[in-house]
Each structure stands twice: as structure tokens, then as C-alpha cells.
Amino acid sequence: MNDTMGRYRTMVGHRLFWPAAVLVVMLAANTVYRPGFLSVELKDGHLYGTPIDILRLSAPLILVALGMTVVISTGGIDLSVGSMCAISGAIACMYISQQPDQNSLPVVLTALAMALGVALVLGAWNGVLVAVIGIQPIIATLILMVAGRGLAQLITEGQIITINSEPYRAIGLGHVLTLPLAILIALAAALLVGAFTRRTALGMIIESVGGNAEASRLAGIRSGRVIFLAYVLSAVCAAVAGFMMTANVSSADGNAAGLWVELDAILAVVIGGTSLAGGRFFLSGTILGALIIQTLTTTVYAMNISPQTSLLFKAVVVIAVCLIQAPAFRARFTRRRSSAPPPSTVTDSPKEQVPA
């Protein structure tokens, strides 16, 4: 009995248990509401179904959240990722739209390289502001968040740029080995970031910088360089996510592309168990958090929740996830249950004997 209770407490205390439980509950609720929710079918060599759509649509958020996880683990934050998505998508679509043959693979690769180059420069700009000049991360990235959105609209001249390029469209809607290419790109990015941060000393260095940057510097770690590279990585991940977002609709809208994705990315990181104060980070938790957010969005549409109440519904679910995941809340709730007084029992006192 004690072994069973110990295993149960260990399982419940795992950082991924409650997010995974919430995801399972949402999937079960959707299945009850719509029995074919989890069905997947193979058609023309491609997998189709709501679970595949959830994975495909969550791919851009997973990419942005991966970069955000590394930035937050250094003790910073990147509010400019949404504008970065818009800029990269605008540059790629604008270049492709000006070419006579939009289906040419070299044209698409050139457009992607140009957009990635600009993303590297913008990520380096954030890194310099934070790591070199010493501006607070929320202020430094807020600058690019506002200015970057205007830059994206300048690139598109305030218009929605539409393209007709099959190679570019394949980034968001293409299939490889029966799976959407977007899922494979997100998986490859997760494996690559995980390999560099968990199979080398880089992950420990990032966590030490986030825990105490000054102590890490005194220990011989170049904290500024680590922080700089974190913002560059975040910019690259956001750029690739921008390619997916614009490829899904074959157009670039500088005003709407990637709008508020930075908030969803931060939320995915927090749901995954990474502290906003920096230090330890969990990539697997971040991916799970992104899946929860996308599943929640799909649930809102599947259950025909009105647009007026959908945001409130999402907020209530997110608050519930964060509360049940917080160890302090669970400890206080458990303590309150265990401290409840036992039911009182009334016993008759022994009668006094009256001396004769």
C-alpha cells in the first residue's frame, strides 16, 4: 500500500503530469462531443484528421516557444517574435511575388535565405540591446515588437501580398512520408535544440546564466555571449514559424501575421514548467504546452463556442491549468483537506458515585 501511494505521489508530482492530464481531458471531452474527433484516415498517401490538424497548426507555436524557452531560461523575454514572424513572411512573399516563375525552387530558397538573414540581424539587434548595452529585455524587445510590425507593413506597402508558389506552400501544407511537412520541421527543430542543450554543456551554461548571470561571469562563463545567442536563436525560430504562417494562406499580411503569438509562446513555456525568473527549462514541457493551447483553440471551434465568449473560455481553462500545476496551490489545497477536524463524538461521562 505504501509503495502504491509513493508511486502515485511521484507520478502526480511530476512536472508534466497535470499538463498531460489536462490535454487528455480536453481530447476526451471533444471525443464525447464529437465521436469522430480522434479519427485519422489515410487518403492519397497523406494522413488527415483533427489530431493531425492540431499537430500541424501547433507547429509554428512550437517553433516560437522553443526559442522563447531558451530566452526565458537566461532570465530574459522576447516580445518581438510576433513581429519577427510578420517580417520574415513579408520578405519571403514579397520577393517571390516579384519573380516571373514563382514555382521555381531556387527562387523560394533565395527568398527563405533573405528572410533568415534579416531575422539573424534583428535577433542580433535584440541581443546587443540586452547583453551589451544592458537594456531590460522586456523594453529592448518591446522596441522591435512595435517597430517590427511597422517594418513588415512597410515591406508589404500596407497590402496583403498573395503568391502562387507550390514549393513555398509546401512549407505549411506539404506532406512528407504521409505527415505534414510542418510537423517534421517542428520535430527537427525540437530535436536539434534538445541535442545542443541536453547532450552538451550548453544547457547547463544557459541555466546557470539564468540563475545568476554575475556568478556565472565570475566563474568564467561569458554570460553576455550566451544571452546574445539566445536572442538570435529565438529570432531564427520565429522566422521559420513566419514561413509556415504565410505558407498556410499563400499570402503575407504585415498587420495580422504572427499577431499575439508571443503571448501564446510565453504561456506555453509557463505551462511546460519553466519559470519566468530564469534558470531550469524544460523543452518537452514547452511542446506539451503548445499542444494544449492549440487543442484548446480547436476545442473552441469544434464546440461552436461564440467568438464573444471564446477568449473568456480559454482564459478560464488556462488559469485552471496553471493553478493545478502550481506546487504551492496544490500543497495549500492538500493541507486544507488534511487539517479538517475529525467528526466529534459525544460520550457520556461516567456517573459519580454518591457515598452512602
Side-chain angles (χ1 to χ4, degrees):
M1 183 66 180
N2 292 334
D3 292 341
T4 304
M5 289 300 299
R7 292 175 182 175
Y8 172 76
R9 290 175 180 174
T10 302
M11 180 181 65
V12 172
H14 195 277
R15 55 184 173 79
L16 294 182
F17 175 80
W18 290 109
V22 170
L23 181 60
V24 170
V25 168
M26 285 195 295
L27 293 175
N30 279 283
T31 304
V32 171
Y33 181 81
R34 195 174 65 184
F37 184 83
L38 294 178
S39 62
V40 177
E41 60 178 351
L42 184 64
K43 185 184 298 183
D44 298 330
H46 302 155
L47 289 175
Y48 292 96
T50 304
I52 301 299
D53 291 336
I54 291 176
L55 292 174
R56 180 179 62 83
L57 294 174
S58 63
L61 180 57
I62 290 175
L63 283 170
V64 175
L66 286 174
M68 187 71 74
T69 301
V70 177
V71 169
I72 289 178
S73 66
T74 64
I77 200 166
D78 191 353
L79 298 180
S80 66
V81 289
S83 298
M84 207 82 68
C85 293
I87 292 172
S88 62
I91 292 175
C93 290
M94 177 61 74
Y95 179 81
I96 293 174
S97 66
Q98 295 174 347
Q99 304 305 310
D101 184 10
Q102 297 186 10
N103 290 315
S104 173
L105 184 59
V107 167
V108 174
L109 293 178
T110 303
L112 298 180
M114 291 173 56
L116 282 175
V118 173
L120 287 172
V121 172
L122 295 178
W125 167 262
N126 281 338
V128 168
L129 291 181
V130 176
V132 179
I133 301 179
I135 300 177
Q136 288 292 327
I138 192 171
I139 301 300
T141 57
L142 183 63
I143 296 172
L144 188 56
M145 174 185 175
V146 177
R149 188 66 62 176
L151 179 59
Q153 296 190 50
L154 282 175
I155 295 172
T156 60
E157 298 180 352
Q159 305 295 321
I160 298 178
I161 307 300
T162 59
I163 61 174
N164 186 18
S165 175
E166 287 300 324
Y168 189 80
R169 185 172 178 269
I171 298 176
L173 300 175
H175 287 75
V176 175
L177 300 177
T178 72
L179 288 174
L181 180 59
I183 297 177
L184 299 179
I185 293 175
L187 178 61
L191 293 176
L192 190 61
V193 175
F196 276 102
T197 57
R198 293 309 183 195
R199 296 299 180 182
T200 67
L202 180 60
M204 187 178 299
I205 293 173
I206 293 174
E207 291 178 346
S208 65
V209 170
N212 193 323
E214 183 62 21
S216 300
R217 186 186 66 81
L218 295 176
I221 298 175
R222 297 184 178 180
S223 303
R225 180 176 296 181
V226 173
I227 296 174
F228 175 85
L229 292 177
Y231 283 94
V232 172
L233 174 64
S234 178
V236 172
C237 290
V240 179
F243 299 152
M244 292 182 182
M245 295 175 184
T246 52
N248 284 333
V249 293
S250 295
S251 63
D253 186 353
N255 186 45
L259 189 63
W260 308 127
V261 71
E262 58 272 3
L263 301 184
D264 284 342
I266 295 171
L267 184 58
V269 174
V270 173
I271 291 176
T274 300
S275 172
L276 289 177
R280 293 196 66 188
F281 64 94
F282 309 99
L283 296 176
S284 57
T286 296
I287 296 173
L288 184 58
L291 292 175
I292 288 175
I293 294 173
Q294 183 56 51
T295 304
L296 183 57
T297 303
T298 304
T299 302
V300 169
Y301 293 124
M303 294 187 174
N304 295 322
I305 298 177
S306 63
Q308 293 79 8
T309 59
S310 61
L311 295 178
L312 179 61
F313 175 78
K314 290 178 65 175
V316 171
V317 175
V318 167
I319 290 173
V321 173
C322 293
L323 284 179
I324 64 176
Q325 187 186 4
F329 177 81
R330 295 203 308 269
R332 180 173 298 181
F333 182 76
T334 305
R335 193 183 310 119
R336 181 172 298 179
R337 291 183 58 186
S338 60
S339 61
S344 59
T345 57
V346 179
T347 57
D348 295 334
S349 59
K351 296 181 180 181
E352 298 180 355
Q353 293 182 354
V354 180

